[in-house]
């Protein structure tokens, strides 16, 4: 299994994810990892409708994804999650990431804006620092052609 790109985006699959990112990285499968959505038939149906034609879609829990991503299938995967906690949970279950892309983490009460499209709270800052300490490059870009910003320079 080749994880071509891993992205944190609260919207999961939308136009940019479905087309810009999946085309740029030549993926043949999108894997959504979310412990809540995996049990929500309506959200799963919406994600299935948003997934681009010609790309398979997996919607998995953290536990399922940890096993699935360690598989030997010949697939190039775009992994997308809503929160940095999901990434940390996967890392703690043995999934390796060289880098992750941080995209849409939007404003909520108690969050601080650190880039145009990324707002974080103290807990998320700590998670990102822990991921960085494990050697994960934290790349902030909204679209594939954007200039990369190293998140560690902002937290």
């Amino acid at each position: 299994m080749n994880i071509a790109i891993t992205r944190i985006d609260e919207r999961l699959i939308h136009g940019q994810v479905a087309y810009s990112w999946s085309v740029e990285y030549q993926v043949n499968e999108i894997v959504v990892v979310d412990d809540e959505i995996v049990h929500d038939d309506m959200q799963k149906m919406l994600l299935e409708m948003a997934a681009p034609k010609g790309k398979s879609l997996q919607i998995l829990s953290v536990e399922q994804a940890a096993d699935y991503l360690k598989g030997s299938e010949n697939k190039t995967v775009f992994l997308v999650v809503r929160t940095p906690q999901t990434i940390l949970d996967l890392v703690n279950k043995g999934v390796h990431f060289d880098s992750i892309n941080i995209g849409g983490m939007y404003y909520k009460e108690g969050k601080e804006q650190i880039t145009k499209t990324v707002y974080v709270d103290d807990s998320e800052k700590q998670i990102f620092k822990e991921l960085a300490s494990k050697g994960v490059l934290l790349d902030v870009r909204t679209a594939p052609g954007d200039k990369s910003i190293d998140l560690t320079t902002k937290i």
Side-chain angles (χ1 to χ4, degrees), residues 13-81:
I13 301 175
H14 54 88
Q16 268 178 339
V17 166
Y19 298 98
S20 298
W21 291 100
S22 67
V23 169
E24 177 76 18
Y25 285 87
Q26 296 296 300
V27 303
N28 51 30
E29 182 168 80
I30 296 173
V31 177
V32 172
V33 182
D34 192 283
D35 284 342
E36 291 174 23
I37 290 176
V38 77
H39 301 292
D40 185 330
D41 290 338
M42 177 62 82
Q43 288 295 318
K44 289 195 307 193
M45 183 180 73
L46 291 171
L47 288 170
E48 288 165 1
M49 290 180 357
K53 301 251 185 290
K55 312 259 187 244
S56 60
L57 173 68
Q58 296 286 331
I59 302 169
L60 305 171
S61 68
V62 169
E63 196 69 41
Q64 293 167 325
D67 290 336
Y68 184 75
L69 295 169
K70 293 176 195 169
S72 60
E73 294 180 53
N74 187 22
K75 293 183 180 181
T76 302
V77 170
F78 180 173
L79 182 70
V80 63
V81 304

Side-chain angles (χ1 to χ4, degrees), residues 81-150:
V81 304
R82 287 191 297 178
T83 70
Q85 183 64 56
T86 302
I87 299 294
L88 184 58
D89 292 345
L90 288 168
V91 167
N92 289 336
K93 292 193 175 295
V95 179
H96 174 77
F97 299 100
D98 290 326
S99 69
I100 58 169
N101 169 256
I102 300 97
M105 292 180 65
Y106 302 105
Y107 176 78
K108 290 184 185 79
E109 189 69 37
K111 290 194 172 201
E112 161 192 357
Q113 183 175 16
I114 57 173
T115 70
K116 184 177 166 187
T117 59
V118 178
Y119 292 77
V120 295
D121 60 24
D122 290 341
S123 169
E124 291 164 332
K125 284 182 189 178
Q126 283 308 116
I127 291 168
F128 282 128
K129 287 176 182 176
E130 186 171 345
L131 289 168
S133 76
K134 295 176 183 285
V136 180
L137 175 68
L138 305 173
D139 161 50
V140 179
R141 286 183 291 154
T142 302
D146 290 349
K147 182 178 179 291
S148 178
I149 298 168
D150 180 351

